[in-house]
Amino acid sequence: MSVRTQPGPRERLLEAAHQLIYSQGVNVGVDALLKAANVARRSLYEHFGGKDGLIVEVLRSAAAADDADYRRTMDAAGDNPRERLLAVFDRLGEITATPGFHGCRYLAADLALTDPDHPAHEITRDYRRHVHDLLERELVTLGHPRPERGADQLLLLIDGTLAAGATRPGTDPAAAARELAECVIAP
Amino acid sequence: MSVRTQPGPRERLLEAAHQLIYSQGVNVGVDALLKAANVARRSLYEHFGGKDGLIVEVLRSAAAADDADYRRTMDAAGDNPRERLLAVFDRLGEITATPGFHGCRYLAADLALTDPDHPAHEITRDYRRHVHDLLERELVTLGHPRPERGADQLLLLIDGTLAAGATRPGTDPAAAARELAECVIAP
DNA sequence: ATATGTATAGACCGATCGATCTATCTACAT
DNA sequence: ATGTAGATAGATCGATCGGTCTATACATAT
């Protein structure tokens, strides 16, 4: 009967990479990742095959967490699709105001990994399509005339909010986007 | 009386870096830049002091060119502020559809240069404020009730368009943003 | 003709990159 | 007790990084 003293090297590495890759970018060195996770060099290659594999798993788990965050946010807003969608932008207001926030990790990864064949792009693409569908579903139940286009617009507002939150802090981009989101919801 | 055969090393380096840094990111190697520009290693340090100095000058000249592009686009649309602002999004439609487009170079630079003291950030910040003022001026002459907030929203739409153009090609984000820009212009 | 500017070519520096390797240690199952 | 799997520590690899250096070529101004 042993006490679970600390997570295994795989979990430690994932968590450390989650934070370090966000704060330092995907070009952060392997040494820095290993040191932050307090993990042996070999464990990285055993569990993830290499740095690229680690990057992919970090994005995959981050996407799962962010998806859960979207659902939690919308569910907490009740059943009204309008309120559920607007709640997303209130949540974005919290996220962009969080200390250490500096933009969308998926966009940062896409822009930094210039090789179009890097497997990370598939993760980010799937994640965006997933969020798009999440938004579109709400618009459908709202009776929106063009739910797919509407979801495009909401996703564009989300990306714009995260970009502005990173590059023009203090301008409350989430509130600005929320106003425009109302135009999307009630066209 | 000699024929101007080719620009000097400074101009060649700026032009090559303009293209290579956009396509490969700011982490592109110095060797690649020198080879693309066909310039001696020493010339880089003579003219720009180092790679960081080159990055800054590339962003500065790109900002000047993009500023001119905004003005040209708006002037070509006539005197009506509404038409002048909407023309920006039509232009974004062209830009995002251009082969080789993969996002906003200024946002990419900000996300890739994780050192907050890097001089490049000052260039991008000034450029955004400049574009913001450009948009705000049109809203003022339009009699917009909150021109500053409106310009925030238009800038957010621009950033969202460039992000979506890079990450979700084929969704015509410029047209989606143009619809929302109409909400901003006629609130 | 000569001196000066600026350019090129390329060796060279220490540091760091991602990745592979050996060797050792430990926890656990048999 | 022993074997096995997984973990750690760290040496080492070739490649590349940004930056400095020497040596040479060439244009122009004096």
Side-chain angles (χ1 to χ4, degrees), chain B residues 17-99:
Chain B
H18 179 85
Q19 298 182 12
L20 255 186
I21 287 182
Y22 181 62
S23 63
Q24 305 285 339
V26 292
N27 289 314
V28 64
V30 166
D31 288 339
L33 292 169
L34 298 176
K35 188 159 194 172
N38 211 339
V39 150
R41 202 171 191 75
R42 181 168 190 154
S43 300
L44 192 163
Y45 296 92
E46 289 286 339
H47 287 289
F48 302 100
K51 189 191 173 187
D52 284 342
L54 176 59
I55 292 174
V56 166
E57 283 311 307
V58 164
L59 290 175
R60 201 194 305 275
S61 64
D66 286 341
D67 172 46
D69 190 68
Y70 272 112
R71 295 178 186 274
R72 201 180 314 120
T73 296
M74 290 169 58
D75 286 347
D79 285 339
N80 186 336
R82 178 189 144 85
E83 299 304 324
R84 289 166 63 85
L85 288 174
L86 290 180
V88 167
F89 291 89
D90 293 331
R91 176 78 183 113
L92 285 177
E94 297 176 10
I95 292 173
T96 55
T98 302

Side-chain angles (χ1 to χ4, degrees), chain A residues 50-64:
Chain A
K51 187 190 174 187
D52 284 341
L54 176 59
I55 291 173
V56 166
E57 284 311 308
V58 163
L59 289 175
R60 201 195 304 276
S61 63

Side-chain angles (χ1 to χ4, degrees), chain A residues 23-25 27 102-104 107-108 110-111 114 128-129 132 146 149 152-153 155-157 159-161 163-164 166-168 171-177 179-180 183-184, chain B residues 23-25 27 102-104 107-108 110-111 114 128-129 132 146 149 152-153 155-157 159-161 163-164 166-168 171-177 179-180 183-184:
Chain A
S23 63
Q24 304 287 338
N27 288 313
H102 54 270
C104 171
L107 182 57
D110 283 322
L111 294 178
T114 49
R128 289 192 190 92
R129 188 163 45 86
H132 180 275
R146 289 140 71 218
R149 161 58 68 103
D152 284 346
Q153 292 174 318
L155 203 47
L156 186 150
L157 287 173
D159 282 334
T161 301
T167 60
R168 306 183 66 240
T171 61
D172 201 1
E179 289 182 10
L180 294 177
C183 296
V184 176
Chain B
S23 63
Q24 305 285 339
N27 289 314
H102 54 270
C104 171
L107 182 57
D110 284 322
L111 293 179
T114 49
R128 289 192 190 93
R129 188 162 47 85
H132 180 276
R146 290 140 69 220
R149 161 59 69 103
D152 284 345
Q153 292 174 318
L155 203 47
L156 187 150
L157 287 173
D159 282 334
T161 301
T167 60
R168 308 182 66 239
T171 62
D172 201 0
E179 289 182 11
L180 295 177
C183 296
V184 176

Side-chain angles (χ1 to χ4, degrees), chain A residues 61-104:
Chain A
S61 63
D66 286 341
D67 173 45
D69 191 68
Y70 272 112
R71 295 178 186 274
R72 201 180 314 121
T73 296
M74 289 169 60
D75 286 346
D79 286 340
N80 186 336
R82 179 190 144 85
E83 299 303 324
R84 289 167 63 84
L85 288 174
L86 289 180
V88 168
F89 291 91
D90 293 331
R91 176 80 183 111
L92 285 178
E94 297 175 13
I95 291 173
T96 55
T98 301
F101 171 82
H102 54 270
C104 171

Side-chain angles (χ1 to χ4, degrees), chain B residues 123-135:
Chain B
I123 308 294
T124 63
R125 176 168 44 83
D126 289 350
Y127 171 69
R128 289 192 190 93
R129 188 162 47 85
H130 189 76
V131 175
H132 180 276
D133 293 350
L134 213 64
L135 302 168

Side-chain angles (χ1 to χ4, degrees), chain A residues 18-47:
Chain A
H18 179 85
Q19 298 182 12
L20 254 186
I21 287 181
Y22 180 63
S23 63
Q24 304 287 338
V26 293
N27 288 313
V28 64
V30 166
D31 288 341
L33 292 169
L34 298 176
K35 188 159 198 174
N38 212 339
V39 150
R41 203 170 191 76
R42 183 169 186 153
S43 300
L44 191 162
Y45 296 92
E46 288 287 339
H47 287 288

